[in-house]
Amino acid sequence: MPSSSSTISQADLVVVANRLPVDRTVDDAGTTHWQTSPGGLVTALEPVMRKNAGAWIGWHGADDDVDPFEHEGLSLVPVPLSVQEVEEYYEGFSNSTLWPLYHDVIAAPKFHREWWDAYVAVNRRFADRAVEVAAEGAVVWIQDYQLQLVPQMLREQRPDLRIGFFLHIPFPPAELFNQIPWRRQLLEGLLGADLVGFQLPGAATNFVRLIRSRVGHRTTRNTIHLPDGRNVDTRAFPISIDSAGLEEMAREPETQQRAREIRDNLGNPKTLLLGVDRLDYTKGITQRLRAFGELVADGAVDADEVMFVQVATPSRERVEQYRVLRDDIDRLVGRVNGDLGHIGRQPITYLHTSYPRTEMAALFRAADVMVVTPLRDGMNLVAKEYVACKYDDKGALVLSEFAGASAELKQAFHVNPYDINGLKSTLLAAMRADSRDLSRRMRAMRRQVSEHDIAKWASDFLSELRRTA
Ligand code: ADQ
């Protein structure tokens, strides 16, 4: 049981994110348990949070009021959301308006005024919690597209705070952003921060340009000068992973044993291709499976020697576009396997499930070619995770040029996922590359990922935020 009290002591560092980093379960005896949900952000922030008496504000996954509590040394402050708010603020405005719009309008964004109203109301609830929890002069770090109004709402009540905001997804150019009926409010919301961080420099440029054209503030390079004399800085902070921790897991004898088992269970293919994603239309899953299916159909690859394993975590299943995508992929996999497989051999193994970290590490160890082909992605951590696990410098990474990670992982086999022929030839090139070429590429990428890990990301952001004070 967590120790719980409604009067949590005030914190010098406050993280505000849509979700708390824990999941609640209730056992047969009716006792509540909280389990840390493994995620990059918790790993990154845990050490800093402990050192700074930090608190984390987020939704706990339900609509009941839960008092703040301590869990494994972290102070957690739950925010309730009603069923209707989940529909309108989360599935609606966050994931059916902002998500598709910020990802190049791959799916059509929907605009509903009641969703916007719910977005404002929920952002206010998060901001109000932060007002209560933050100590005098504290640093508050707000995360992601669900909470873009929180910086300004917070500053209005607490001008003493240092406020940072980080956007995990792309920030679109004006041509797309301007579709949003509430564009001005979103921009003003973000301007409440002292530092607005993005994955890539291009996103910061998009933001600064929009501020100049829409809001009319003066800007110099990456700084926005507000009429009241305050400055807002913007910069790229490419997010990363716990590289050393993951490599350590990959080196465990059990992980290696499990990687061998995976290959055995698949009938020991000569080449194993792997895709791992949240089931999302931004990830280009259809494109990559279609390209692979064509390679098998053309006879360019032999289905007895080459296999594709696609793992897709169930995601946002109550949103219509995600249900349609799931059906599309089911159909595509069925067609490829039905047309091109034979008894005991299917070209694609498709797993619609989520796995523990150790199983993911084993899959990365087992794969010869990692296929990461998003149509647009803020960063894409899977690409970095694969690289971190390949400590023997073996394996090839096929990486979309539309993933933020492609700016750092320059030695990957880069590809435009919209170009199916290009995708086919790049998959072949990765499968056929000689081992010296592969190890040269992998070594360089591994250096990048180990020198720029998640701890560095967090400390870069926080020191920049404190520096701009
Ligand atoms: P996501 O869109 O969720 O993140 P990504 O960066 O790839 O995308 O992170 C997914 C995480 O989930 C990875 O750590 C991966 O290992 C894990 N995962 C995926 N499938 C899994 C499965 N089947 N089982 C278990 N774990 C699985 C958003 C943005 C990204 C940005 C991140 C972080 O869309 O662009 O990189 O935030 O900022």
Side-chain angles (χ1 to χ4, degrees):
M1 271 292 279
S3 65
S4 114
S5 78
S6 53
T7 51
I8 200 154
S9 57
Q10 294 211 313
D12 295 321
L13 173 65
V14 181
V15 169
V16 190
N18 175 58
R19 268 297 266 166
L20 277 182
V22 289
D23 287 317
R24 178 167 63 179
T25 51
V26 180
D27 66 17
D28 292 345
T31 312
T32 299
H33 300 274
W34 296 93
Q35 255 183 341
T36 311
S37 44
L41 207 54
V42 207
T43 322
L45 298 176
E46 220 175 347
V48 237
M49 301 261 295
R50 284 185 211 284
K51 213 167 72 196
N52 292 276
W56 186 309
I57 300 175
W59 179 41
H60 57 288
D63 63 353
D64 57 338
D65 278 310
V66 179
D67 285 340
F69 62 92
E70 297 278 330
H71 176 76
E72 293 177 358
L74 294 179
S75 297
L76 303 179
V77 184
V79 176
L81 295 182
S82 71
V83 172
Q84 190 176 350
E85 283 167 345
V86 174
E87 251 171 55
E88 297 183 345
Y89 145 81
Y90 180 69
E91 293 161 358
F93 198 76
S94 297
N95 288 325
S96 304
T97 309
L98 294 174
W99 178 270
L101 195 117
Y102 281 28
H103 286 89
D104 284 1
V105 192
I106 296 166
K110 296 181 180 147
F111 301 105
H112 292 296
R113 284 165 285 185
E114 56 280 20
W115 290 359
W116 166 254
D117 294 342
Y119 186 81
V120 176
V122 171
N123 271 250
R124 180 151 317 275
R125 188 171 313 141
F126 276 84
D128 290 348
R129 282 314 259 153
V131 166
E132 293 163 11
V133 169
E136 174 74 24
V139 167
V140 181
W141 190 2
I142 300 147
Q143 310 285 328
D144 228 357
Y145 61 105
Q146 302 93 348
L147 301 174
Q148 292 173 94
L149 304 177
V150 173
Q152 188 195 27
M153 291 171 166
L154 190 53
R155 177 165 303 278
E156 278 164 5
Q157 301 181 69
R158 291 288 304 272
D160 59 297
L161 302 174
R162 294 297 299 161
I163 303 175
F165 180 92
F166 183 76
L167 186 71
H168 291 254
I169 67 174
F171 191 83
E175 290 74 7
L176 298 178
F177 188 85
N178 281 336
Q179 290 181 14
I180 308 172
W182 309 278
R183 56 200 179 187
R184 173 84 188 228
Q185 289 96 314
L186 287 170
L187 294 173
E188 301 266 15
L190 291 170
L191 287 177
D194 297 291
L195 176 64
V196 182
F198 298 94
Q199 302 276 24
L200 297 179
T205 308
N206 287 345
F207 177 66
V208 171
R209 273 204 196 125
L210 265 158
I211 294 295
R212 216 169 34 232
S213 64
R214 278 279 137 215
V215 191
H217 293 325
R218 194 169 64 81
T219 66
T220 43
R221 293 165 137 269
N222 279 357
T223 303
I224 298 153
H225 308 277
L226 303 188
D228 66 2
R230 193 167 66 81
N231 287 342
V232 179
D233 282 316
T234 68
R235 230 193 73 185
F237 298 87
I239 200 167
S240 192
I241 57 166
D242 173 16
S243 324
L246 194 57
E247 173 170 343
E248 200 181 306
M249 189 182 283
R251 283 179 184 272
E252 298 278 342
E254 299 80 49
T255 310
Q256 316 216 29
Q257 172 59 25
R258 179 64 195 141
R260 279 193 294 274
E261 256 171 48
I262 290 171
R263 289 192 78 111
D264 279 351
N265 293 347
L266 292 167
N268 280 310
K270 191 167 148 260
T271 309
L272 179 59
L273 293 90
L274 175 67
V276 174
D277 313 76
R278 256 187 329 97
L279 187 63
D280 195 297
Y281 50 78
T282 59
K283 302 291 182 184
I285 302 171
T286 323
Q287 283 76 1
R288 85 179 68 132
L289 295 181
R290 189 178 301 146
F292 177 71
E294 286 189 19
L295 286 174
V296 178
D298 299 346
V301 304
D302 181 349
D304 285 326
E305 294 189 334
V306 182
M307 286 190 91
F308 202 117
V309 171
Q310 174 64 52
V311 184
T313 320
S315 176
R316 305 176 189 169
E317 291 177 299
R318 287 157 47 96
V319 177
E320 169 70 12
Q321 289 149 332
Y322 288 77
R323 286 200 293 260
V324 171
L325 174 73
R326 185 176 171 181
D327 290 347
D328 287 349
I329 295 177
D330 284 352
R331 222 174 294 122
L332 176 61
V333 171
R335 202 165 55 231
V336 171
N337 285 340
D339 290 350
L340 304 168
H342 56 79
I343 288 174
R345 205 66 166 176
Q346 299 216 312
I348 302 173
T349 298
Y350 174 55
L351 304 155
H352 183 242
T353 184
S354 178
Y355 285 121
R357 305 300 297 161
T358 47
E359 181 73 1
M360 298 284 286
L363 277 163
F364 292 142
R365 288 296 311 152
D368 302 299
V369 181
M370 186 75 214
V371 191
V372 182
T373 56
L375 305 173
R376 179 59 74 194
D377 214 332
M379 178 54 58
N380 196 293
L381 298 180
V382 171
K384 293 186 173 181
E385 289 166 353
Y386 178 70
V387 167
C389 287
K390 293 301 206 185
Y391 55 82
D392 51 5
D393 294 337
K394 292 194 171 131
L397 173 65
V398 171
L399 180 58
S400 164
E401 58 191 68
F402 300 113
S406 74
E408 289 170 89
L409 303 178
K410 297 197 173 73
Q411 297 77 11
F413 291 83
H414 288 237
V415 70
N416 168 6
Y418 290 96
D419 170 11
I420 300 288
N421 284 345
L423 197 41
K424 287 166 71 178
S425 57
T426 308
L427 287 175
L428 281 179
M431 280 186 260
R432 291 173 180 168
D434 71 71
S435 58
R436 286 202 17 224
D437 179 29
L438 290 180
S439 73
R440 184 187 54 77
R441 290 170 183 257
M442 192 55 83
R443 213 168 17 240
M445 292 192 287
R446 282 172 41 67
R447 196 174 316 121
Q448 169 66 28
V449 170
S450 79
E451 284 169 8
H452 299 85
D453 67 356
I454 183 85
K456 181 171 182 332
W457 172 78
S459 74
D460 281 355
F461 187 95
L462 289 171
S463 41
E464 180 74 10
L465 179 56
R466 294 195 171 104
R467 196 188 62 76
T468 54

